[in-house]
Amino acid sequence: MSVIVYTESEKGKFKKVAFEVVSYAKAIADKMGTSVTAIAVNAENPESLGNYGASKVLAVNDDSLNVFNAKKYASAIEQATKQENANVVVLSSSADSKYLAPILAVGLEAGYVSNVVEVPSNTAPFTVKRTAFTNKAFAHTEINTEVKLIGLSNNSFGLVESGGSASVETFTPNIPDSGVTVESVDKATDKVSIADAEVVVSGGRGLKGPENWALIEDLAEVLNAATACSKPVSDLGWRPHSEHVGQTGKPVASNLYIAIGISGAIQHLAGINSSKVKVVINTDPEAPFFKAADYGIVGDAFEVVPVLTEKLKAFKAQNA
Amino acid sequence: MKILVCISHVPDTTSKINFTEGDTKFDTNGVQFVINPNDEFGLTRAMWFKEKQGASVDVVNVGGPETEPTLRKALAIGADAAIRVNTEAVDGATVAKQLAKVVTDGGYDLVIAGRESIDYNGGMVPGMLAAMTGANFVTNCISLEIDGTNAKAVREIDGGKETVSTSLPLVIGGQKGLVEESDLRIPNMRGIMMARKKPLTIVEPVDANVETKSTGFEKPAPKGAVKLVDAENIDELVNLLHNEAKVI
Ligand SMILES: Cc1cc2nc3c(=O)[nH]c(=O)nc-3n(C[C@H](O)[C@H](O)[C@H](O)COP(=O)(O)OP(=O)(O)OC[C@H]3O[C@@H](n4cnc5c(N)ncnc54)[C@H](O)[C@@H]3O)c2cc1C
Ligand SMILES: Nc1ncnc2c1ncn2[C@@H]1O[C@H](COP(=O)(O)O)[C@@H](O)[C@H]1O
């Protein structure tokens, strides 16, 4: 019996979510009186996961896994889970983890719950809390299978350093043919993605047109933030679809979400509500976003945002 | 090509969410149900294949009789036939098991499902269905081309996109991008009339163990009032974000 966790890396470096899922797995393992095994694929310094609570790392080194492939990765994790006799499997909510999770669930005959936000409240019956109805509610869900698969909602648990150390073992799974071949990847390497960002700066129709987006981009740059937008902004072609956030777009669970010229329609709020701190800048004091935000400025984005960007630059220079 | 489009029947995005029976059941009172938005994109793409490349398009839902108006709407948009698997959709795995039977019995080449249902956001059904039927699988799909049995798809990934090649039989989890918002079809009068005559077959479910079960719901704690900062005093916002919220 143990808890196994899949830790994602990019070009050999662990992603922040890798440390978060290990921290979370450690909390479950403590509750169950067991230990955490991590599986890492082509990652440098696998032993560093010990600091977040892994006691063992299964290190996979295989060039055929350099490009992510859901079926191949699911198979590797399935084999590791079986070898370790693990009964709880933890994944993140990244696009890749959400892609492989259902395949893994079928392979392991595991009950799968995604978007989990807390450590299980109970281990018999095994009960987790997840978001439901696009963040408009939470559900308490029991998993009744022997092996349980949990997808942790990003940024819901945080990083917990426990200062432990991990032993590293080489793990060599059999990699199946997958039927899906990646031909090309088109990814901005100099930009923070919405999924990984601690801060997201988002613009709505209040910005009037795509030519004004420097306002959003400059602010995002100072904060090392990802840029996002409301649905009409992407439907109008002002910004790419990949920036559309909300109930029918990408979910946002950042530490700070700054909404500029966004009214705060229910569908928008549903997708961004799990962000910890929300700031709204809007000319209309009656805009519904003010009811959902922590901080707000009633004002014109074209006047307020450049000043905010300057002030933050100065703040950063001072605190550097 | 035989295409099956999976249709999830979900509360309209403007719905207020409430629960009854001691917070154990979703309160459907006053809630309007619609085709899951991700599935609308998939259905419109399926119509494109039908018209441009020649394909039959069936739609399927796993659910009770209350979902039939949603299936009729899909028929009015242009699907040829509808199937309803007569059982409550308890969790992703049970739905996928029911759909797997429909796919195998119907010999479908291409299954178009949505990336996720907007109500429960499980994001489980298409991947499970692919794994159960042995089909190839691409999710977060924003473009799909089929040539014979070869397929080319584009998938949205964190921070970008990726182009993949694969082959039929294939299951995709589709989303906006598969077609543009402005190309989405809405039923017209003629479609609605024709839909009445199209077959809607009810099939009985296969046995499936319930792997996960939601036993209770809660709503987020009510939010405190917003702290307003004067537009002339932006230093104050920087100060609050740093010292109070501790996010910068
Ligand atoms: C099925 C469905 C799904 C949907 N899903 C989503 C979704 O996932 N995500 C999403 O975002 N929307 C979604 N929507 C759309 C949603 O209902 C709203 O229409 C949309 O969020 C509004 O976008 P907006 O706030 O940018 O624009 P608007 O509602 O037009 O608001 C613009 C705001 O900018 C303010 N403003 C104007 N000028 C300035 C200025 N100079 N400075 C500062 N503020 C200014 C205005 O006061 C106003 O509040 C969905 C709708 C439907 C029907
Ligand atoms: N009850 C259902 N009947 C038919 N298709 C479904 C059902 N539930 C989910 N799906 C399909 O699976 C996709 C993802 O749903 P989910 O896994 O619930 O997020 C949806 O967009 C539908 O295409």
Side-chain angles (χ1 to χ4, degrees):
Chain A
M1 197 173 88
S2 70
V3 177
I4 194 161
V5 52
Y6 164 55
T7 53
E8 285 159 83
S9 54
E10 175 135 354
K11 299 212 173 73
K13 305 267 185 286
F14 283 118
K15 294 200 196 179
K16 199 187 113 196
V17 288
F19 302 133
E20 183 176 27
V21 286
V22 175
S23 305
Y24 174 79
K26 171 69 174 157
I28 299 183
D30 285 347
K31 197 159 180 157
M32 297 173 61
T34 178
S35 62
V36 176
T37 301
I39 169 163
V41 179
N42 297 342
E44 294 161 14
N45 306 322
E47 69 288 347
S48 62
L49 297 173
N51 191 25
Y52 298 91
S55 39
K56 179 158 90 181
V57 183
L58 299 177
V60 180
N61 289 297
D62 184 332
D63 283 345
S64 74
L65 298 177
N66 274 340
V67 176
F68 176 82
N69 181 292
K71 193 169 171 186
K72 293 182 178 180
Y73 274 57
S75 173
I77 300 167
E78 179 184 329
Q79 292 168 55
T81 306
K82 288 179 174 160
Q83 173 185 300
E84 296 299 309
N85 245 328
N87 47 5
V88 177
V89 185
V90 178
L91 306 173
S92 81
S93 292
S94 69
D96 287 350
S97 279
K98 281 199 155 174
Y99 188 4
L100 74 81
I103 304 173
L104 179 60
V106 172
L108 288 170
E109 294 178 25
Y112 166 41
V113 179
S114 55
N115 301 325
V116 171
V117 292
E118 280 176 11
V119 172
S121 55
N122 205 344
T123 50
F126 199 92
T127 312
V128 289
K129 181 174 172 181
R130 78 182 309 274
T131 59
F133 298 97
T134 28
N135 284 312
K136 291 176 187 171
F138 296 102
H140 296 275
T141 305
E142 281 179 23
I143 312 181
N144 300 317
T145 45
E146 192 150 332
V147 181
K148 286 117 183 129
L149 177 58
I150 299 177
L152 179 67
S153 190
N154 285 0
N155 239 344
S156 60
F157 189 76
L159 308 188
V160 181
E161 295 189 46
S162 51
S165 64
S167 62
V168 177
E169 280 175 24
T170 305
F171 180 64
T172 317
N174 297 313
I175 304 299
D177 284 338
S178 91
V180 177
T181 310
V182 175
E183 303 289 345
S184 64
V185 179
D186 175 5
K187 194 166 165 172
T189 44
D190 55 336
K191 278 193 78 181
V192 197
S193 74
I194 292 171
D196 295 332
E198 312 244 339
V199 182
V200 173
V201 179
S202 190
R205 206 148 47 179
L207 284 162
K208 315 278 192 275
E211 67 281 4
N212 298 323
W213 239 260
L215 222 56
I216 301 290
E217 281 168 344
D218 291 349
L219 177 58
E221 196 183 318
V222 194
L223 290 165
N224 190 26
T227 52
C229 68
S230 67
K231 176 169 178 286
V233 164
S234 75
D235 289 341
L236 289 163
W238 295 359
R239 299 296 290 175
H241 286 319
S242 54
E243 287 198 0
H244 158 200
V245 297
Q247 188 169 9
T248 55
K250 283 204 170 70
V252 180
S254 55
N255 285 336
L256 174 60
Y257 182 76
I258 305 183
I260 301 169
I262 298 178
S263 57
I266 187 167
Q267 299 96 344
H268 186 87
L269 296 178
I272 61 96
N273 243 341
S274 37
S275 291
K276 299 219 167 65
V277 176
K278 284 155 285 216
V279 176
V280 55
I281 299 171
N282 196 306
T283 40
D284 176 7
E286 301 297 320
F289 215 119
F290 284 101
K291 290 209 174 64
D294 301 279
Y295 302 102
I297 293 183
V298 179
D300 186 337
F302 295 93
E303 288 161 22
V304 172
V305 176
V307 181
L308 178 60
T309 304
E310 284 315 311
K311 300 271 182 200
L312 284 166
K313 258 187 205 155
F315 167 83
K316 247 178 81 177
Q318 226 174 53
N319 290 269
Chain B
M1 180 163 58
K2 282 192 81 176
I3 303 177
L4 181 69
V5 182
C6 303
I7 303 284
S8 179
H9 159 92
V10 300
D12 174 283
T13 55
T14 58
S15 308
K16 297 257 183 327
I17 304 297
N18 291 302
F19 301 99
T20 57
E21 298 180 31
D23 284 340
T24 58
K25 285 231 152 46
F26 173 52
D27 184 358
T28 55
N29 222 325
V31 171
Q32 199 178 340
F33 283 83
V34 296
I35 299 178
N36 183 41
N38 288 316
D39 302 343
E40 268 187 288
F41 291 102
L43 179 58
T44 303
R45 188 65 189 158
M47 298 317 302
W48 187 94
F49 286 125
K50 177 180 154 91
E51 286 155 16
K52 301 278 161 97
Q53 297 189 192
S56 66
V57 177
D58 294 350
V59 290
V60 62
N61 172 265
V62 178
E66 70 283 359
T67 72
E68 288 188 8
T70 300
L71 284 174
R72 287 278 174 213
K73 187 176 168 198
L75 292 173
I77 288 172
D80 301 308
I83 300 163
R84 179 171 68 81
V85 182
N86 187 27
T87 185
E88 198 192 336
V90 197
D91 71 349
T94 52
V95 170
K97 267 178 212 145
Q98 303 304 337
L99 292 174
K101 173 87 170 30
V102 171
V103 170
T104 314
D105 289 353
Y108 293 97
D109 308 293
L110 173 64
V111 178
I112 302 183
R115 169 192 73 174
E116 66 177 21
S117 299
I118 60 150
D119 54 350
Y120 197 71
N121 312 117
M124 305 183 178
V125 170
M128 288 179 169
L129 175 60
M132 287 171 186
T133 58
N136 291 321
F137 175 50
V138 179
T139 197
N140 293 10
C141 191
I142 54 173
S143 157
L144 177 68
E145 310 281 344
I146 308 280
D147 179 8
T149 60
N150 294 323
K152 195 167 186 182
V154 181
R155 169 172 92 95
E156 201 166 274
I157 54 177
D158 290 339
K161 54 192 177 183
E162 126 189 322
T163 305
V164 302
S165 59
T166 181
S167 59
L168 302 179
L170 172 68
V171 176
I172 66 152
Q175 62 181 67
K176 183 166 93 168
L178 218 41
V179 299
E180 288 306 316
E181 179 90 15
S182 50
D183 293 333
L184 281 180
R185 304 235 175 141
I186 41 170
N188 57 23
M189 216 40 216
R190 196 177 117 82
I192 294 168
M193 299 301 287
M194 281 172 63
R196 295 199 186 135
K197 300 201 189 81
K198 290 179 179 171
L200 192 163
T201 312
I202 296 163
V203 302
E204 289 310 314
V206 292
D207 279 343
N209 281 338
V210 175
E211 298 182 347
T212 70
K213 190 167 139 222
S214 291
T215 52
F217 297 92
E218 64 181 86
K219 300 223 280 179
K223 208 161 160 30
V226 62
K227 248 190 206 174
L228 287 180
V229 175
D230 196 286
E232 302 299 321
N233 190 9
I234 290 173
D235 283 320
E236 177 63 7
L237 180 62
V238 175
N239 174 36
L240 287 167
L241 292 177
H242 180 58
N243 290 315
E244 189 177 87
K246 299 192 178 1
V247 286
I248 59 167

